[in-house]
Amino acid sequence: MFLDLERRTAVITGASRGIGRAIALALADEGVRVALVARSEANLDRTAAEIRERGGEAHVIPADLSDWDAASGVVARATEALGEAPTIVVLSHGHMHRYAKVHSVFRQDLDVSLNTDLRAPFALLGPALEEMMAARDGRVVVVGSHLGRMGAPKTPINSTVKAALEGLVRNIALDFGRYGVTANIVAPGFVDNERLAELNDDPAARRKMKRAAATRALSKNEDVARLVTFLCSPVAGQITGAVLPIDGGLHLTNLL
């Protein structure tokens, strides 16, 4: 295969729906043996069933990643399920936040987001990077957002967390590159999926989102999944510490 991913092992968080689910399917289609992580076991089972129907191997690991102990135990559980330590970790989970200006942010929203979106990557990636360092092989890909660099009105929590994740990825790239480990962020803009519909289902707002992109179109889950799959492959071995926009040129316009 061109991407040379056959029989590699991966952990994908947020794999129960949306972008994370699309990434799990794309990696499995390339022959990657996957461990799927999210809170909803029922939704994970559906993703796993589709992968198996397509001839792939998938294991379900339900976990609440806002809990440090649960997040730090994911790699051990994945290793047991897969029979070997994963050399690919894709973080695609995230807390659904409410739109609010800084002075209106609820402390509970901030706490949950920091635990889920920022503490969990540290907890999960710590054990994963130890295994990758020993294997001298590893890929870390984080699904970020255009908000990490551009920001948007009433998104102080999400913008802050996504920017912090970019710093984390750069440090992983610097500290572990000598061991054959790469780390990158993909930064989607507006993705036409169920999460976007939950956040904003106003047709006028959707038209405005499309106009903000140079392509005048919303991205799809599969667009992001294809880029992530490439970054997980040996072909992308010299790409590390990068933030790769996949937003139809939204980062060029910032017309929000």
Side-chain angles (χ1 to χ4, degrees):
M1 292 178 130
F2 172 70
L3 293 180
D4 193 23
L5 283 166
E6 186 75 29
R7 302 302 296 170
R8 289 176 180 262
T9 52
V11 168
I12 303 112
T13 69
S16 61
R17 66 176 193 160
I19 292 172
R21 177 181 176 278
I23 291 168
L25 292 169
L27 285 172
D29 283 346
E30 290 293 329
V32 179
R33 300 161 53 224
V34 297
L36 313 175
V37 184
R39 283 177 297 183
S40 172
E41 186 170 3
N43 288 342
L44 287 176
D45 284 338
R46 282 191 283 272
T47 303
E50 184 169 354
I51 289 171
R52 292 166 189 149
E53 287 171 6
R54 292 157 71 155
E57 178 182 338
H59 303 271
V60 169
I61 301 179
D64 180 358
L65 296 180
S66 67
D67 179 84
W68 178 278
D69 291 335
S72 63
V74 161
V75 169
R77 293 171 65 187
T79 299
E80 181 178 1
L82 295 164
E84 60 183 284
T87 55
I88 296 169
V89 174
V90 180
L91 301 183
S92 184
H93 66 279
H95 174 58
M96 185 77 76
H97 66 94
R98 285 177 279 198
Y99 287 112
K101 295 181 180 179
V102 170
H103 70 285
S104 301
V105 164
F106 291 109
R107 177 178 174 179
Q108 181 182 6
D109 283 346
L110 180 59
D111 288 344
V112 172
S113 186
L114 290 176
N115 286 337
T116 304
D117 301 336
L118 196 53
R119 284 166 55 92
F122 277 88
L124 194 153
L125 288 173
L129 287 166
E130 286 191 18
E131 296 288 352
M132 292 177 185
M133 187 167 53
R136 303 192 77 83
D137 178 30
R139 296 286 184 269
V140 175
V141 182
V142 177
V143 178
S145 169
H146 69 289
L147 296 175
R149 293 198 168 183
M150 293 169 53
K154 299 182 180 180
T155 63
I157 296 177
N158 208 10
S159 296
T160 299
V161 168
K162 298 304 184 184
L165 287 173
E166 293 186 13
L168 173 61
V169 162
R170 284 191 290 270
N171 274 270
I172 293 171
L174 287 167
D175 289 339
F176 294 90
R178 71 196 69 183
Y179 302 106
V181 178
T182 67
N184 296 286
I185 281 193
V186 298
F190 301 116
V191 180
D192 190 7
N193 59 21
E194 59 190 11
R195 182 163 187 172
L196 181 64
E198 289 170 5
L199 285 170
N200 195 331
D201 61 357
D202 178 15
R206 186 169 290 254
R207 288 193 294 271
K208 185 177 180 181
M209 292 173 194
K210 290 182 178 180
R211 288 197 303 271
T215 60
R216 300 299 190 266
L218 301 179
S219 300
K220 300 184 184 308
N221 292 330
E222 292 74 19
D223 296 326
V224 183
R226 283 190 286 267
L227 177 57
V228 171
T229 301
F230 169 72
L231 291 172
C232 290
S233 74
V235 180
Q238 284 299 105
I239 303 174
T240 193
V243 179
L244 289 87
I246 181 158
D247 59 9
L250 178 65
H251 66 287
L252 301 173
T253 61
N254 200 17
L255 299 175
L256 299 176

